[in-house]
């Protein structure tokens, strides 16, 4: 995370997580694409991934969603700090 956007990004993530939990929805957070082993050539520009990266993101989500209790409402994946 860039230092100049870190606070605002966390506030946005917190708001999205709170809303998703209240609505009993899952929001897939693909912002840290390294969590899914996406590489630089798999991006059209610095923000937009190609189908290869999305396939890994959704593949991991559906694999985890099949496990009881692994995925709940809110942001997915859950951050290391539990949020």
């Amino acid at each position: 995370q860039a230092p100049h956007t870190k606070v605002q990004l966390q506030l946005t993530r917190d708001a999205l997580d709170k809303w998703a939990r209240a609505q009993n929805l899952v929001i897939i957070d693909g912002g840290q694409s390294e969590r899914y082993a996406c590489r630089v050539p798999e991006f059209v520009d610095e923000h937009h991934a190609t189908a290869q990266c999305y396939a890994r993101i959704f593949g991991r989500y559906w694999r985890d969603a099949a496990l009881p209790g692994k995925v709940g409402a809110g942001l997915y994946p859950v951050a290391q700090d539990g949020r």
Side-chain angles (χ1 to χ4, degrees):
Q1 296 176 1
H4 65 285
T5 59
K6 184 177 182 175
V7 172
Q8 191 60 44
L9 178 59
Q10 191 58 54
L11 289 172
T12 301
R13 291 182 82 247
D14 290 346
L16 286 170
D17 186 59
K18 181 178 178 181
W19 179 81
R21 289 174 189 274
Q23 301 301 316
N24 198 32
L25 299 171
V26 175
I27 297 176
I28 297 174
D29 181 1
Q32 290 182 300
S33 57
E34 62 273 11
R35 289 180 174 176
Y36 308 97
C38 295
R39 299 169 318 211
V40 173
E42 296 171 327
F43 284 81
V44 176
D45 58 33
E46 68 180 90
H47 299 291
H48 299 94
T50 62
Q52 293 169 308
C53 179
Y54 282 112
R56 275 199 296 287
I57 292 170
F58 284 106
R60 182 179 306 167
Y61 170 78
W62 288 117
R63 185 185 69 229
D64 286 352
L67 300 172
K70 179 76 173 178
V71 176
L75 286 180
Y76 168 88
V78 175
Q80 298 296 347
D81 62 5
R83 294 195 281 172

